[in-house]
Every structure is written in structure tokens, then in C-alpha cells.
Coordinates of all heavy atoms in Angstrom, one line a residue:
L1 N -109.4 -110.6 13.0 CA -108.7 -109.8 13.9 C -107.5 -109.0 13.3 O -107.1 -107.9 13.8 CB -108.1 -110.7 15.0 CG -109.1 -111.4 15.9 CD1 -108.4 -112.3 16.9 CD2 -109.9 -110.4 16.7
D2 N -107.1 -109.4 12.1 CA -106.0 -108.7 11.4 C -106.5 -107.5 10.5 O -105.7 -107.0 9.8 CB -105.1 -109.7 10.6 CG -105.9 -110.3 9.5 OD1 -107.1 -110.0 9.2 OD2 -105.3 -111.3 8.9
G3 N -107.8 -107.2 10.6 CA -108.3 -106.1 9.8 C -108.9 -106.4 8.5 O -109.5 -105.6 7.8
R4 N -108.8 -107.7 8.1 CA -109.5 -108.2 6.9 C -110.9 -108.6 7.1 O -111.4 -108.6 8.3 CB -108.7 -109.4 6.3 CG -107.3 -109.0 5.9 CD -106.5 -110.2 5.3 NE -106.5 -111.3 6.3 CZ -106.1 -112.6 6.1 NH1 -105.8 -112.9 4.8 NH2 -106.1 -113.5 7.0
V5 N -111.7 -108.8 6.1 CA -113.0 -109.3 6.1 C -113.1 -110.6 5.4 O -112.5 -110.8 4.3 CB -114.0 -108.3 5.5 CG1 -115.4 -108.9 5.4 CG2 -114.1 -107.0 6.3
E6 N -113.8 -111.6 6.0 CA -113.9 -112.9 5.4 C -115.4 -113.2 5.1 O -116.3 -112.9 5.9 CB -113.4 -114.0 6.3 CG -113.6 -115.4 5.8 CD -113.1 -116.4 6.8 OE1 -113.1 -116.2 8.0 OE2 -112.7 -117.5 6.4
L7 N -115.7 -113.7 3.9 CA -117.0 -114.1 3.5 C -117.0 -115.6 3.1 O -116.1 -116.0 2.4 CB -117.6 -113.3 2.4 CG -117.6 -111.8 2.4 CD1 -116.3 -111.1 2.0 CD2 -118.8 -111.3 1.5
V8 N -118.1 -116.3 3.3 CA -118.4 -117.5 2.7 C -119.7 -117.3 2.0 O -120.7 -117.0 2.6 CB -118.4 -118.7 3.7 CG1 -118.9 -120.0 3.0 CG2 -117.1 -118.9 4.3
V9 N -119.7 -117.5 0.7 CA -120.9 -117.3 -0.1 C -121.3 -118.5 -0.9 O -120.4 -119.1 -1.6 CB -120.6 -116.1 -1.1 CG1 -121.8 -115.7 -1.9 CG2 -120.2 -114.8 -0.3
E10 N -122.6 -118.8 -0.9 CA -123.0 -120.0 -1.7 C -124.3 -119.7 -2.4 O -125.2 -119.0 -1.9 CB -123.2 -121.2 -0.7 CG -123.6 -122.5 -1.4 CD -123.5 -123.7 -0.4 OE1 -122.4 -124.0 0.0 OE2 -124.6 -124.2 -0.1
G11 N -124.4 -120.2 -3.6 CA -125.6 -120.0 -4.4 C -125.4 -120.3 -5.8 O -124.4 -120.9 -6.2
D12 N -126.3 -119.7 -6.7 CA -126.1 -119.9 -8.1 C -124.8 -119.3 -8.6 O -124.4 -118.2 -8.0 CB -127.3 -119.2 -8.8 CG -128.6 -120.0 -8.6 OD1 -128.6 -121.2 -8.4 OD2 -129.7 -119.3 -8.7
P13 N -124.1 -119.9 -9.5 CA -122.8 -119.4 -9.9 C -122.8 -117.9 -10.3 O -121.8 -117.2 -10.0 CB -122.4 -120.3 -11.0 CG -123.2 -121.6 -10.8 CD -124.5 -121.1 -10.2
R14 N -123.7 -117.5 -11.1 CA -123.7 -116.1 -11.6 C -123.7 -115.0 -10.5 O -122.9 -114.1 -10.4 CB -124.8 -115.8 -12.7 CG -124.7 -114.4 -13.2 CD -125.7 -114.2 -14.3 NE -125.1 -114.4 -15.5 CZ -125.8 -114.7 -16.6 NH1 -127.1 -114.7 -16.6 NH2 -125.1 -114.9 -17.8
P15 N -124.7 -115.1 -9.6 CA -124.7 -114.2 -8.5 C -123.5 -114.3 -7.6 O -123.0 -113.3 -7.0 CB -126.0 -114.5 -7.7 CG -126.8 -115.3 -8.6 CD -125.9 -115.9 -9.6
V16 N -122.9 -115.5 -7.4 CA -121.7 -115.7 -6.6 C -120.6 -114.9 -7.3 O -119.8 -114.1 -6.6 CB -121.3 -117.2 -6.5 CG1 -119.9 -117.3 -5.9 CG2 -122.3 -117.9 -5.5
E17 N -120.5 -115.0 -8.6 CA -119.4 -114.2 -9.3 C -119.7 -112.7 -9.2 O -118.7 -111.9 -9.0 CB -119.4 -114.6 -10.8 CG -118.8 -115.9 -11.1 CD -117.3 -115.9 -10.6 OE1 -116.6 -115.0 -10.8 OE2 -116.9 -117.0 -10.1
R18 N -120.9 -112.3 -9.2 CA -121.2 -110.8 -9.0 C -120.8 -110.4 -7.6 O -120.3 -109.2 -7.5 CB -122.7 -110.6 -9.3 CG -123.0 -110.7 -10.8 CD -124.5 -110.5 -11.1 NE -124.8 -109.1 -10.9 CZ -126.0 -108.6 -11.0 NH1 -127.0 -109.4 -11.2 NH2 -126.2 -107.3 -10.8
M19 N -121.0 -111.2 -6.7 CA -120.6 -110.9 -5.3 C -119.1 -110.7 -5.2 O -118.6 -109.8 -4.5 CB -121.1 -112.0 -4.3 CG -121.0 -111.6 -2.9 SD -122.3 -110.4 -2.4 CE -121.9 -110.2 -0.7
I20 N -118.4 -111.6 -5.8 CA -116.9 -111.5 -5.8 C -116.5 -110.2 -6.5 O -115.6 -109.5 -6.0 CB -116.3 -112.7 -6.6 CG1 -116.5 -114.0 -5.8 CG2 -114.8 -112.5 -6.8 CD1 -116.2 -115.3 -6.6
E21 N -117.1 -109.9 -7.6 CA -116.8 -108.6 -8.2 C -117.1 -107.4 -7.3 O -116.3 -106.5 -7.3 CB -117.5 -108.5 -9.6 CG -117.0 -109.4 -10.6 CD -115.5 -109.3 -10.9 OE1 -115.1 -108.1 -11.1 OE2 -114.9 -110.3 -10.9
W22 N -118.2 -107.4 -6.6 CA -118.5 -106.4 -5.7 C -117.4 -106.3 -4.6 O -117.0 -105.2 -4.2 CB -119.9 -106.6 -5.0 CG -120.2 -105.5 -4.0 CD1 -120.7 -104.3 -4.3 CD2 -119.9 -105.6 -2.6 NE1 -120.8 -103.6 -3.1 CE2 -120.3 -104.4 -2.0 CE3 -119.4 -106.6 -1.8 CZ2 -120.2 -104.1 -0.7 CZ3 -119.3 -106.3 -0.4 CH2 -119.7 -105.1 0.1
C23 N -116.9 -107.4 -4.1 CA -115.9 -107.4 -3.0 C -114.6 -106.7 -3.5 O -113.9 -106.2 -2.6 CB -115.6 -108.9 -2.6 SG -116.9 -109.6 -1.6
K24 N -114.4 -106.7 -4.8 CA -113.2 -106.0 -5.3 C -113.3 -104.5 -5.1 O -112.3 -103.8 -5.2 CB -112.9 -106.4 -6.7 CG -112.6 -107.9 -6.9 CD -112.4 -108.3 -8.3 CE -112.1 -109.8 -8.4 NZ -112.0 -110.2 -9.9
V25 N -114.5 -104.0 -4.9 CA -114.7 -102.6 -4.8 C -115.2 -102.2 -3.4 O -114.7 -101.3 -2.7 CB -115.7 -102.0 -5.8 CG1 -116.0 -100.6 -5.6 CG2 -115.2 -102.3 -7.2
G26 N -116.2 -103.0 -2.9 CA -116.8 -102.8 -1.6 C -117.7 -101.6 -1.5 O -118.0 -101.0 -2.6
P27 N -118.2 -101.2 -0.3 CA -119.0 -100.0 -0.2 C -118.2 -98.8 -0.4 O -116.9 -98.8 -0.5 CB -119.5 -100.1 1.3 CG -118.5 -101.0 2.0 CD -117.9 -101.9 0.9
D28 N -118.9 -97.6 -0.5 CA -118.2 -96.3 -0.8 C -117.0 -96.0 0.0 O -116.0 -95.5 -0.5 CB -119.3 -95.2 -0.7 CG -120.3 -95.3 -1.8 OD1 -120.1 -95.9 -2.8 OD2 -121.4 -94.6 -1.6
L29 N -117.0 -96.2 1.3 CA -115.9 -95.8 2.2 C -114.7 -96.8 2.2 O -113.7 -96.5 2.7 CB -116.4 -95.6 3.6 CG -117.5 -94.5 3.7 CD1 -118.0 -94.4 5.2 CD2 -116.9 -93.1 3.3
A30 N -114.9 -98.0 1.6 CA -113.9 -99.0 1.6 C -112.7 -98.7 0.6 O -112.9 -98.0 -0.4 CB -114.5 -100.4 1.3
V31 N -111.6 -99.1 1.0 CA -110.4 -99.1 0.1 C -109.9 -100.6 0.0 O -109.2 -101.0 0.9 CB -109.3 -98.2 0.5 CG1 -108.1 -98.2 -0.4 CG2 -109.8 -96.7 0.7
V32 N -110.3 -101.3 -1.0 CA -110.0 -102.7 -1.2 C -108.6 -102.8 -1.8 O -108.4 -102.2 -2.9 CB -111.0 -103.4 -2.0 CG1 -110.6 -104.9 -2.2 CG2 -112.4 -103.4 -1.3

């Protein structure tokens, strides 16, 4: 509700880390 996005991600450690790195940038229109 405050404008943030929340994720819970589970799986092999390497892809989880890659997902975290992607979250630091997000899709093209995002400003993280």
C-alpha cells in the first residue's frame, strides 16, 4: 500500500541471487 513491491523468492541459491540483482534495477520503466 505504501508504493513498494514485496517478493518472497525460494530456490537454488545462484538464481535467487540473480533475482536479487535484477530487483536492484527492475524493468525498463522502474526507478529503484
Side-chain angles (χ1 to χ4, degrees):
L1 293 176
D2 63 5
R4 299 179 297 166
V5 170
E6 177 182 28
L7 303 85
V8 172
V9 181
E10 186 170 290
D12 292 331
R14 178 176 270 162
V16 169
E17 285 300 319
R18 291 180 69 189
M19 191 72 181
I20 293 167
E21 289 304 311
W22 176 84
C23 286
K24 294 176 182 178
V25 178
D28 290 342
L29 298 174
V31 178
V32 176

